[in-house]
Amino acid sequence: DGGITQSPKYLFRKEGQNVTLSCEQNLNHDAMYWYRQDPGQGLRLIYYSQIVNDFQKGDIAEGYSVSREKKESFPLTVTSAQKNPTAFYLCASRERGADEQFFGPGTRLTVL
Amino acid sequence: SQQGEEDPQALSIQEGENATMNCSYKTSINNLQWYRQNSGRGLVHLILIRSNEREKHSGRLRVTLDTSKKSSSLLITASRAADTASYFCATDAMDSSYKLIFGSGTRLLVRP
């Protein structure tokens, strides 16, 4: 089965803690993206990577960090500097030369 | 930043009726895409229309694009209860990043 997996599905974090969200794809896509979705809202871009070992900030990168050490993996760390981290986080990937993005099932992060 | 704005924010129709959702955007685009999101899930790509196209069909979906008005519409014909979901338009950033800018979405409820 080809696709994008995100884990965990639900994540609870205490204030002041860093937490890492996993995103893995076996589609052999070059580009990967992280989005944040708040209730009743659209998606906002946090970070994206078009190639291994390279990534760029999106519109709301403050308080987040990423790495892209392998083509298939693009983990997102939500740091304690993110003031309001409770949200639904979506990872996506895109094949080189294509326009559409393929999305994972998402991780719902709740800060207690 | 959110470029696309959908209208209406919410739509409730009876099964068998048609559903029309509109999207407006602000800047020039190469293409516009529509995605569907079931509650609490990832997004699924539905259809893409390029800036030099005016209308496109895919099954029960019909998309139109008016670049002079910077607007698009998604028509779902003969709706089914399973069409209940949120629908988002997304425009490309018109740079080499292939970033997508999402609208705020239309929540569609199809009553059986």
Side-chain angles (χ1 to χ4, degrees):
Chain A
D1 261 347
I4 303 177
T5 57
Q6 291 186 242
S7 62
K9 188 174 175 67
Y10 299 98
L11 188 57
F12 298 90
R13 188 194 92 175
K14 292 182 180 179
E15 280 194 33
Q17 287 183 335
N18 292 357
V19 63
T20 298
L21 281 60
S22 168
C23 177
E24 303 277 331
Q25 54 100 359
N26 61 4
L27 300 168
N28 200 33
H29 287 175
D30 288 307
M32 296 186 75
Y33 304 81
W34 272 107
Y35 295 92
R36 170 184 172 134
Q37 186 178 32
D38 291 286
Q41 302 294 315
L43 278 65
R44 292 184 290 168
L45 183 64
I46 304 173
Y47 268 98
Y48 65 102
S49 167
Q50 299 206 76
I51 198 167
V52 174
N53 293 323
D54 188 47
F55 49 82
Q56 285 79 39
K57 293 181 179 180
D59 299 317
I60 55 166
E62 186 175 351
Y64 300 97
S65 66
V66 294
S67 62
R68 188 83 188 279
E69 297 176 1
K70 298 186 296 182
K71 187 175 186 177
E72 58 269 24
S73 179
F74 191 40
L76 173 74
T77 296
V78 184
T79 75
S80 56
Q82 169 50 234
K83 299 302 180 192
N84 185 21
T86 294
F88 189 49
Y89 291 87
L90 287 157
C91 178
S93 70
R94 180 185 57 80
E95 184 178 8
R96 183 185 299 183
D99 294 295
E100 59 265 38
Q101 295 184 12
F102 291 79
F103 283 81
T107 292
R108 188 166 300 280
L109 172 64
T110 302
V111 174
L112 303 173
Chain B
S1 61
Q2 290 193 307
Q3 152 140 273
E5 293 298 327
E6 271 104 326
D7 169 58
Q9 290 187 338
L11 179 61
S12 178
I13 60 173
Q14 202 73 34
E15 203 165 26
E17 293 180 340
N18 295 343
T20 299
M21 288 159 268
N22 303 296
C23 168
S24 61
Y25 57 93
K26 298 173 185 173
T27 63
S28 297
I29 60 172
N30 288 318
N31 65 73
L32 185 145
Q33 304 177 43
W34 285 89
Y35 287 81
R36 165 194 169 125
Q37 183 182 34
N38 284 38
S39 181
R41 308 290 287 274
L43 276 69
V44 175
H45 181 262
L46 294 176
I47 194 166
L48 179 150
I49 187 164
R50 301 204 179 277
S51 59
N52 61 352
E53 298 175 310
R54 291 297 168 258
E55 187 171 310
K56 203 162 183 180
H57 296 254
S58 176
R60 295 185 295 113
L61 304 180
R62 182 174 78 103
V63 170
T64 61
L65 180 65
D66 187 335
T67 53
S68 66
K69 295 181 179 178
K70 290 186 170 59
S71 68
S72 173
S73 68
L74 172 68
L75 168 67
I76 303 174
T77 61
S79 64
R80 306 165 181 168
D83 293 328
T84 294
S86 291
Y87 293 83
F88 295 90
C89 68
T91 53
D92 69 302
M94 270 204 99
D95 58 24
S96 61
S97 72
Y98 287 86
K99 290 186 294 185
L100 291 179
I101 304 169
F102 284 85
S104 51
T106 292
R107 294 186 305 280
L108 173 65
L109 172 64
V110 181
R111 305 186 305 273

